[in-house]
Amino acid sequence: MSALCDPPGAASPPRPPLSAQELSQEVKAFLSGLDPVQGTPLSPPAHARCALRLLRCLPPARHAALQHLRGLFDEQVCSHLLQREGGTPAPKPSPGAEVLQEARRALAELVAANPRAWAPGVAAWASELMGQLSSKYAGRPGVPPAASLNELLQLWMSCPATRALLDIYSQCLAAMVGSCPDACVDALLDTSVQHSPHFDWVVAHVGSSFPGTIISRVLSCGLKDFCAHGGGEAAAAGTAGDKRVPKIASVVGILGHLASRHAGSIKQELLRMFHESLGSSREHHKATVPFLLQLALMSPTLLATVSPELVDSLKPPVLNQLHQHFSAVPRDELEGVVGVVVHLLCHTSAGALRTLRFLLATAAPASVITAPGPALHEGVREACERLLQLLLLHLQKLVHGRGSASLAECPARPVPFLEALRPHVRELCLDTLRLERKRCLWQHQLLALLAVHSAPHGAAEALFFLLALARTPEELALAPQLHAGLRAVLPDPLPAAVAAAVAQIHAGRLPEPQLAQLLRNLALLLQPRDGDGDAGEPALGAALARHLPDLAQLLLHPRAEVAEAACRLLAACPLPRALPPAHLLPAVRAAVRRFFAGLWLGDAAALAPGVRLLARLSAVSPAAAKAVLAQLVEGALGGRNAELFGGTAEPPGHEAAPVPPAVSLLDTNQRFTAGLNTSGGVWSVFHAGVIGRGLKPVAGGGQRSAEELSRNTQTFLSLVLRCCRGSGPAVGAEAAKAVAAALVEAVCPEAAGAELAWPPEELARATVERDLRILRRFRQHPLLFPLLRLVAGGHPALCYCSVLLRGLLASLVAHWDACRASSTVASPWHLRASCALVALLAEGSLLPPVLGNMHELFPELAPFEVHLLLLSVWGYLRENSPLPQKFTFQPELGMFRRDFGRDGDVGKHLAVLHSVLHRNIHRLGLLAGRFYP
């Protein structure tokens, strides 16, 4: 009994085994708690040392000894927590703390000496004691909650007692790793079941110290317990499986703690278990797949860890083995497993797109040509097809059965599978537009569910991508189908889709070919159906009309394909009845520019949308018609567009002229002579060019055929006439007046707004330079005469061109006065201009018919005679000025007419005409009757 009186903490040298008498005294002292020699009670440290000696020397007493040591560890834990609560400094080591360290060393020696005999029991004792202590003191002040795992781990690791227990368990597990650690891991699982979540800090520490062992053995022990509690039936029970299989919750908890740092090892072990179970008839292998499904059902973390790689590993051989594996499973159990799989698919977000494409490719292969290797069993395809149908059905229930007030609101509980697909809407639309057999129906249905789930932005995004990516009418038909389905459950998503498209265009995110395709698709949807004249998609037209200014900018796109597509779209789009000038004028300018671009191309098909667009713009309002006509006239007479109608393009101005390379005028002239040529004196004017800018460009670039010029002129005049008529058969007076104002502005801007009254000859002499400039413009632009004829048809609009008519007539009078030729045929252009001018004055009711017919005589007369006749016309117009007040509106005709009877006697203006007729009676006798009133 000398050992009982050893001083506390004294190092105990190796002793020989106790004799039978000594062992008997130790047993009596342990059981009674009294010193067998003195009869006094043993102190707790002495009593604990007695238990340690029995633990070493009497194996049957190990359970009692370990049970006694529980109190020692409990006492030390309580003391440590009281010390933390009081905030007192750490005292000197107490006898109990010294005995605790002795117990740790003793247990470590026993485990190291004989691991098989000691490690399982000691590990179970240590883990159970840690679980009990963790649960017992969980509610104490200063102990962190179980959710704060790091703080909890720091607390218990600072406690000597729990730290010693953790070291003991770790040593036991390390000693058994090489042989059979299942008993140690099983003890950890049992304790986790009883004391979770307070025991999680132990699991986290042990798992981090032995990740490979813990992961593999925890899964192995969990599988054994799963098989023992019903296996597949528990998995088919769904979320209630954890109640029937207690240890599986601990398995999930342990793996969940390890997933943050050891996800790769967990994934590798789960895949190994899955592939190892296929093709095996052993009982626990048959339960492996249901076990893994149950784990995934209880832990989204594990599901996210393994699902992407699992899908990649499902090659045809594996799928065939899996089909064979489940072929013998009862139908009810198989239905439960399928339900679990569908539930997992709906609630997983990792690799959702990859999983979807795998299911689609397996259920409905894109090609009948299979890859080299084993062929896929037909049952696998049928199973995948059924799985897809059930998945879509379940998703539909989740999407349409949510608890929000409206489907347009964000769902309170989003579906993870659909949430993961939200960033991949474009890829889903591309897959859907391939129109591959059954896939298209499933993908279209899934796209609709995704659009409803992520409304309103998701619905607009899906519609936008279908519209932008479709390349054929069959593909484009998917967009209206999706829209029809969404409109039944959501507020109309089409305006948002159009707004998203406009935003993408503004941001420049669409490549030019795709932008052109989007515009063509929108135009195609707006085409009338079955020739009934109604817009194909009224909602689409209304949505596009709100973005008219943005779409009109595309008419100026540098790429012709995009501009043409935008023109086709706007030509088919319904226009709002009220457009503010800030929106109207840019659209009109862009449309006019697009029209002339089509004329330059010479393609009637490309020109038709531009004509239709301008005609529709002019019909929006009278102000719109005036703007269209003004822009058309300005565009036709300005710049290079004049060449389209046989005119001469004006040389570019100072700002528009390209800057040529630097030229020295001195160096250029010295090439020919020794000095500068100044023979003309200081008053010489050189028209060859501008100093520093080179030679003046040659007027009239490319030559065009008469047929092309005639076609262009006819197209342009038809468009102008169509815009002038509006909804009536005749040219409107206001529209013709707008053309007249545009003509004056284009030909002679400084005379815009001039007096309409015809001035006397004395004042006309002051405008010679302006008159010559007007004549030059008429020679440069053959289109002016047809435009004036169009204006003349809308009485009294020709009056507003008085300044042009006056200038042209004055220049022609001066020409014929100066002409010394024997016949007017010598000046063909002036002859044609004189005839056209008089005919215009007659058609516009500025001349009475008897004077208006005199142009028929001009080709047969001499120049001086034409001069005299034009002077008589001038005289008539000077006395009877072309004023709009002389026209009266006649309701029965719906137009303005002029009564020449109110202007007085016209006979005095016919004297010269009659004299010319008498002089040429031998040639003009047949026409004489037409010139007598």
Side-chain angles (χ1 to χ4, degrees), residues 801-834:
C801 292
S802 175
V803 64
L804 301 183
L805 301 174
R806 187 166 63 244
L808 180 59
L809 181 57
S811 299
L812 291 174
V813 168
H815 170 78
W816 294 120
D817 184 29
C819 182
R820 295 298 178 261
S822 59
S823 172
T824 55
V825 181
S827 299
W829 186 89
H830 293 82
L831 175 61
R832 290 196 302 270
S834 301

Side-chain angles (χ1 to χ4, degrees), residues 146-147 248 288 354 407 482 506 787:
I248 199 168
T288 298
R354 190 185 310 178
L407 287 174
L482 179 64
H506 273 303
L787 283 174

Side-chain angles (χ1 to χ4, degrees), residues 580-666:
H583 294 170
L584 174 65
L585 296 181
V588 169
R589 284 194 292 265
V592 169
R593 183 171 175 180
R594 183 59 210 161
F595 167 74
F596 285 111
L599 276 182
W600 279 103
L601 292 176
D603 184 6
L607 191 61
V611 172
R612 189 163 59 252
L613 173 58
L614 286 171
R616 297 181 70 246
L617 280 173
S618 66
V620 169
S621 64
K626 292 179 181 179
V628 170
L629 292 170
Q631 291 293 326
L632 282 173
V633 173
E634 180 182 350
L637 301 179
R640 294 183 60 243
N641 291 336
E643 298 177 9
L644 294 169
F645 311 102
T648 303
E650 297 179 359
H654 177 73
E655 297 82 358
V659 179
V663 177
S664 171
L665 189 61
L666 178 63

Side-chain angles (χ1 to χ4, degrees), residues 219-488:
L219 285 172
S220 176
C221 295
L223 178 59
K224 291 179 182 178
D225 189 69
F226 182 78
C227 294
H229 286 82
E233 296 178 3
T239 55
D242 57 330
K243 297 180 180 179
R244 301 179 58 183
V245 189
K247 284 187 181 179
I248 199 168
S250 297
V251 173
V252 170
I254 293 171
L255 295 179
H257 288 311
L258 298 176
S260 59
R261 293 187 178 181
H262 305 281
S265 301
I266 296 175
K267 175 176 59 181
Q268 184 178 358
E269 184 63 26
L270 291 173
L271 291 175
R272 185 197 64 78
M273 289 182 64
F274 171 73
H275 290 289
E276 189 179 274
S277 67
L278 299 178
S280 175
S281 59
R282 299 176 62 180
E283 191 63 32
H284 70 280
H285 282 163
K286 292 182 179 179
T288 298
V289 174
F291 170 69
L292 295 177
L293 289 175
Q294 188 64 34
L295 285 180
L297 195 64
M298 297 174 63
S299 174
T301 304
L302 295 179
L303 178 61
T305 300
V306 75
S307 58
E309 283 72 14
L310 177 62
V311 171
D312 291 340
S313 67
L314 294 178
K315 305 301 181 185
V318 178
L319 290 173
N320 290 337
Q321 290 180 347
L322 194 61
H323 176 262
Q324 185 179 3
H325 180 83
F326 280 102
S327 58
V329 176
R331 183 176 183 83
D332 294 342
E333 184 177 338
L334 186 60
E335 291 292 335
V337 171
V338 171
V340 171
V341 172
V342 171
H343 180 82
L344 291 176
L345 288 174
C346 292
H347 291 81
T348 183
S349 59
L353 182 62
R354 190 185 310 178
T355 304
L356 175 65
R357 286 178 171 172
F358 162 75
L359 291 174
L360 290 171
T362 307
S367 174
V368 295
I369 303 176
T370 58
L376 198 62
H377 195 279
E378 189 61 31
V380 176
R381 302 190 193 281
E382 296 175 358
C384 280
E385 182 175 344
R386 184 165 180 270
L387 198 60
L388 265 173
Q389 294 171 350
L390 292 175
L391 173 63
L392 292 173
L393 181 61
H394 194 62
L395 288 174
Q396 185 175 2
K397 292 179 180 178
L398 291 176
V399 169
H400 293 282
R402 56 195 176 184
S404 58
S406 171
L407 287 174
E409 302 174 3
C410 294
R413 300 178 65 181
V415 182
F417 184 79
L418 295 178
E419 281 292 317
L421 292 178
R422 287 186 66 175
H424 305 287
V425 175
R426 186 179 188 278
E427 292 89 335
L428 290 174
C429 291
L430 281 173
D431 292 344
T432 306
L433 290 172
R434 292 194 180 104
L435 304 178
E436 294 173 343
R437 299 181 9 175
K438 294 181 181 179
R439 287 195 194 186
C440 179
L441 300 177
W442 295 328
Q443 289 166 333
H444 195 269
Q445 186 178 354
L446 179 64
L447 203 58
L449 293 174
L450 180 59
V452 174
H453 174 266
S454 53
H457 302 294
E461 189 179 10
L463 281 174
F464 162 69
F465 281 121
L466 285 180
L467 291 172
L469 299 174
R471 296 184 177 275
T472 64
E474 293 77 12
E475 295 177 3
L476 185 59
L478 295 179
Q481 293 174 13
L482 179 64
H483 175 233
L486 295 179
R487 193 169 49 184

